[in-house]
Amino acid sequence: MKNHPTSNLKKYAFLLMLAVSSIGFAQTPYPNKTIKLIVPFPPGGLIDNVARLITPALSTDLGQTIVVENKPGAGGNLGAAEVAKAIPDGYTLLMASPPLSISPALYKNLPYNPSSIEPIAIFGQLPNVLLVNPDSGINSVAELVKRAKESPGKMNYGSNGNGTSLNLSAEMLKSQAGIYVVHIPYRGSSLANVALVSKDIDFMFDNLPPALGLIKSGKLKALAVTSTSRNPALPQVPTMQEAGFPNFQVTAYFGIAAPKGVPTDIAVKLQNSIQKTVAQKEVVDSLSRLGATVDFMNSAKSAEFIKADAQRWKKVVDYAKIELD
């Protein structure tokens, strides 16, 4: 029995459609349009600066424009929520940072499911630094703890707000040292720095980059950094672990994450491109000037790192009994 001409036409049309689709797919490998990198904080901050530092080289390597879009709010949760709910096609990415570790323990009602975001790579870290006024007479972490124990509740510390890594770094010290000091939150670490210079507070933790100038000018004294190894920008300053707290580890990490479900080939391409980008000398040097160290981790290692970091912060949040809406 012969095929009906109409059936043959339909068959040929279907095959032609498949061929055209295949050709079109082959001609448009990832990325073939602008990539959006969400920074969940305002312009000019540390994470925003790092994002704008790496995107030119990353854009060049990928052969496509990367647009940095700031979406601040709710401690970084609004930007994370936008990425978590985006199509997992590699065109909406998140500048990953400590809120990914802290927020699940801290916020009662997160606007997104943490499991809806997966890291592509972590590529750098920098520590917080424990600061006092040079006129305080405190020259070490041991001396700070001793004074706090001698006057329970009379010393205070400043931070850039409730639930931030600066606040929680001090709470980690409180829990590990067994001291009682009062928290005074400010609207930004720069205001807390001013308070410390003015002797309105006794100590604070700060991210290293904004504190470096004050340390080097002698306006503030660094007692310790919170990373597991000394920082090249302050080689003479010990770590908190060297200062007698072996379980003290805090780093502001940064990397790139994506909505869960990004195809493996796209995730691998992004991961490899990030690794090549942060290996470039000019990028390494620029990050070093911020006090950061390049420490590349692939997707699997990044996920393990964030999980361990989240567990550390949950202990601190539970100890401090902090819960945000």
Side-chain angles (χ1 to χ4, degrees):
M1 179 177 180
K2 293 183 179 180
N3 290 332
H4 193 279
T6 304
S7 299
N8 287 335
L9 284 173
K10 287 182 180 179
K11 179 172 70 175
Y12 294 145
F14 178 70
L15 292 173
L16 181 61
M17 181 180 69
L18 285 179
V20 170
S21 297
S22 298
I23 292 170
F25 180 78
Q27 290 176 342
T28 56
Y30 175 87
N32 56 59
K33 63 181 180 178
T34 298
I35 298 169
K36 181 168 63 175
L37 177 60
I38 300 291
V39 174
F41 298 102
L46 172 64
I47 302 302
D48 180 69
N49 288 341
V50 173
R52 295 178 190 278
L53 188 157
I54 69 158
T55 47
L58 190 58
S59 294
T60 299
D61 189 77
L62 287 170
Q64 191 55 257
T65 301
I66 300 176
V67 175
V68 175
E69 182 177 307
N70 297 90
K71 191 173 182 66
N77 292 333
L78 292 186
E82 179 169 324
V83 174
K85 297 169 186 176
I87 297 170
D89 57 4
Y91 290 100
T92 302
L93 304 173
L94 175 70
M95 194 65 189
S97 59
L100 285 181
S101 304
I102 298 173
S103 292
L106 191 63
Y107 285 85
K108 185 168 56 177
N109 297 303
L110 270 181
Y112 69 96
N113 184 340
S115 65
S116 296
I117 294 177
E118 58 185 20
I120 298 296
I122 288 174
F123 58 84
Q125 299 183 55
L126 57 81
N128 290 339
V129 56
L130 176 55
L131 302 166
V132 294
N133 190 292
D135 297 331
S136 65
I138 297 172
N139 297 302
S140 68
V141 179
E143 290 180 8
L144 174 64
V145 169
K146 182 174 182 291
R147 187 175 296 187
K149 286 185 174 180
E150 289 172 348
S151 305
K154 293 185 178 180
M155 292 185 72
N156 55 44
Y157 75 90
S159 82
N160 57 340
N162 290 312
T164 64
S165 73
L166 308 186
N167 168 209
L168 296 178
S169 292
E171 293 298 325
M172 184 179 289
L173 175 60
K174 285 173 61 177
S175 67
Q176 294 186 14
I179 57 176
Y180 171 52
V181 292
V182 178
H183 177 213
I184 301 178
Y186 291 85
R187 298 187 69 177
S189 64
S190 59
L191 294 178
N193 280 328
V194 170
L196 187 55
V197 171
S198 303
K199 304 178 185 177
D200 294 329
I201 57 176
D202 295 303
F203 70 94
M204 69 174 287
F205 285 86
D206 198 2
N207 294 134
L208 183 55
L212 268 177
L214 292 168
I215 295 167
K216 292 184 176 179
S217 68
K219 292 181 179 179
L220 293 178
K221 179 186 287 186
L223 299 183
V225 293
T226 61
S227 47
T228 56
S229 57
R230 294 195 182 198
N231 190 276
L234 295 173
Q236 77 283 6
V237 177
T239 66
M240 287 293 294
Q241 294 185 357
E242 290 176 316
F245 295 90
N247 297 318
F248 202 110
Q249 179 183 346
V250 175
T251 54
Y253 61 87
F254 30 83
I256 290 179
K260 187 173 181 62
V262 170
T264 301
D265 59 332
I266 292 177
V268 169
K269 185 168 186 176
L270 281 169
Q271 178 181 279
N272 292 342
S273 188
I274 294 166
Q275 186 172 19
K276 284 190 286 183
T277 296
V278 299
Q280 296 178 21
K281 185 179 185 303
E282 57 270 29
V283 175
V284 173
D285 290 346
S286 296
L287 289 171
S288 295
R289 284 193 288 272
L290 291 176
T293 54
V294 171
D295 184 12
F296 180 84
M297 301 180 215
N298 63 23
S299 178
K301 288 185 177 178
S302 296
E304 291 174 5
F305 178 91
I306 291 173
K307 181 179 179 181
D309 200 47
Q311 291 171 345
R312 277 192 296 271
W313 285 125
K314 188 177 188 312
K315 290 179 182 178
V316 176
V317 169
D318 290 347
Y319 168 84
K321 295 181 171 61
I322 301 173
E323 184 177 76
L324 304 180
D325 292 327

